[in-house]
Amino acid sequence: MTYDFLQHYWWFLIAVLGGFLVFLMFVQGANSMIFRLGKDEEERRLLINSTGRKWEFTFTTLVTFGGAFFASFPLFYSTSFGSAYWVWLAILFTFIIQAVSYEFQNKAGNLLGVKTFQVCLVINGLLGPLLIGGAVATFFTGSNFIVEKSNIVSDMQPVISQWANASRGLDVLLNPWVVIFGLAVVFLARILGTLYINNNVNDTHIRARINRHLIGNTVLFLICFLAFLAKTLLGDGFAVATDGTIVMEPMKYLNNLIALWPLAIVFLVGVLLLLYGIILTLLRPNYIKGIWPAGIGVILVVIVLFLIVGWNNTAYYPSTADLQSSLTIANSCSSEFTLTTMFYASLAIPFVLAYIFYAWRSIDSKKIDREELKNDDHAY
């Protein structure tokens, strides 16, 4: 195993974790539509208890995603998580209120009322995907930071990366393309959330409202995503020259798809699977398994997006303040020893996935319905 192989291997694992994270944000998508799909208190409890069985999967994946970045690409962690901390604190805050809302909305002594905590779930459902999507969009648009590795030997200020202004990352939300991609992730999460509720909640009244919301969110998602994709593929990208310097290259990400043509095929398959899950749900009233082809398609598309922004001599975290401060998988990764050690630890991942699959099937052995909600003493 060469150092170069380990760098690409760990970026691939980051891409896989990112793909699963976006898929699992169906929890946020469904929560954002609590008051749309649920018209009375019992219907809203059905929705909340359905997503309440899965929210820990999403939160655990988010933490694992951040931990994997910290271990394999620590300079990204110190630059983004350390310098642009207001964005990440906002993301963390939305997930904290989500956990609190699940646990306390129906607890005895709740002075704020059930609806207050349900509104908090909606806030998490909207802001969580928006901010995470915006953070990922900066891989393509760039961020306003400076890296000075020589500072590590400074006794006065041993900080090697810092934001170039006082906004601590919030300025990225002023970039319209960051917001557009964030909105695309919001609508995608709502699509997945709708498909998941259709599959998991056995209630004719809720399922009767699925198609209307699925159509609206699909149209809005396609508008935002296709606009961002066209701008990204046809615009300039951040390339790494043979001497290691960062240069602007016309249509860099399109060139990456062409050079890494198997990824283009995977991307196309992912898009078709997503559309297949949506269209079949719309055309066949009794079809409730759309979440699975759509979810697999989303995972494949996200993996490809991560790979074309990190592989093939590309700066995955470009700097708009100082182009040469841009981060690549080569200049921001851990030592070869660390990556090698973690490689062997990563061999346990299939066993973890097998456990998740087993736990998921056990939880979903029976579709949630009104009768189960009444007889479950541990329901939210």
Side-chain angles (χ1 to χ4, degrees), residues 31-105:
N31 283 344
S32 71
M33 296 187 292
I34 290 173
F35 297 102
R36 296 280 186 172
L37 294 175
K39 296 304 182 181
D40 58 41
E41 192 58 39
E42 187 175 26
E43 289 180 356
R44 286 193 283 271
R45 284 200 70 197
L46 280 171
L47 298 172
I48 291 169
N49 277 274
S50 176
T51 58
R53 297 174 172 184
K54 303 296 190 317
W55 74 268
E56 290 163 319
F57 287 115
T58 310
F59 187 75
T60 301
T61 304
L62 175 63
V63 173
T64 305
F65 178 78
F69 244 133
F70 170 73
S72 53
F73 299 97
L75 189 53
F76 168 79
Y77 191 87
S78 67
T79 302
S80 183
F81 289 69
S83 301
Y85 52 77
W86 282 123
V87 174
W88 293 106
L89 282 176
I91 292 172
L92 180 61
F93 175 75
T94 66
F95 279 87
I96 289 174
I97 64 173
Q98 176 200 50
V100 172
S101 298
Y102 275 120
E103 295 299 331
F104 289 97
Q105 61 183 291

Side-chain angles (χ1 to χ4, degrees), residues 274-293:
L274 173 61
L275 295 176
Y276 175 83
I278 295 172
I279 293 173
L280 211 59
T281 300
L282 294 174
L283 296 181
R284 293 172 55 181
N286 295 325
Y287 182 73
I288 63 172
K289 297 182 179 180
I291 181 62
W292 302 119

Side-chain angles (χ1 to χ4, degrees), residues 295-353:
I296 294 171
V298 167
I299 292 172
L300 294 178
V301 169
V302 174
I303 288 175
V304 172
L305 290 178
F306 268 86
L307 294 184
I308 65 171
V309 83
W311 283 4
N312 198 39
N313 298 316
T314 310
Y316 72 83
Y317 199 47
S319 170
T320 56
D322 174 25
L323 195 59
Q324 301 313 312
S325 292
S326 302
L327 304 186
T328 69
I329 62 173
N331 69 13
S332 64
C333 65
S334 296
S335 67
E336 184 172 4
F337 173 80
T338 300
L339 294 183
T340 302
T341 303
M342 293 195 306
F343 169 83
Y344 292 109
S346 71
L347 298 179
I349 290 177
F351 299 98
V352 176
L353 293 178

Side-chain angles (χ1 to χ4, degrees), residues 59-210:
F59 187 75
T60 301
T61 304
L62 175 63
V63 173
T64 305
F65 178 78
F69 244 133
F70 170 73
S72 53
F73 299 97
L75 189 53
F76 168 79
Y77 191 87
S78 67
T79 302
S80 183
F81 289 69
S83 301
Y85 52 77
W86 282 123
V87 174
W88 293 106
L89 282 176
I91 292 172
L92 180 61
F93 175 75
T94 66
F95 279 87
I96 289 174
I97 64 173
Q98 176 200 50
V100 172
S101 298
Y102 275 120
E103 295 299 331
F104 289 97
Q105 61 183 291
N106 286 303
K107 292 290 186 181
N110 174 13
L111 301 178
L112 298 177
V114 174
K115 192 169 183 179
T116 299
F117 287 110
Q118 291 176 348
V119 170
C120 288
L121 289 177
V122 175
I123 292 173
N124 168 256
L126 295 173
L127 286 185
L130 177 67
L131 293 173
I132 291 176
V136 173
T138 60
F139 288 0
F140 296 94
T141 63
S143 297
N144 197 21
F145 65 90
I146 298 172
V147 174
E148 188 60 61
K149 293 185 178 182
S150 61
N151 284 351
I152 196 67
V153 297
S154 172
D155 294 331
M156 299 297 295
Q157 190 178 9
V159 178
I160 63 177
S161 56
Q162 58 184 339
W163 217 249
N165 56 47
S167 70
R168 298 303 180 189
L170 293 178
D171 57 312
V172 299
L173 297 176
L174 298 178
N175 186 329
W177 290 108
V178 170
V179 176
I180 287 173
F181 188 78
L183 289 173
V185 176
V186 170
F187 296 126
L188 177 60
R190 287 165 70 93
I191 291 171
L192 295 174
T194 304
L195 294 174
Y196 171 76
I197 293 299
N198 190 44
N199 174 263
N200 191 250
V201 177
N202 185 17
D203 187 85
T204 55
H205 298 287
I206 293 177
R207 283 177 173 169
R209 305 181 187 113
I210 291 296

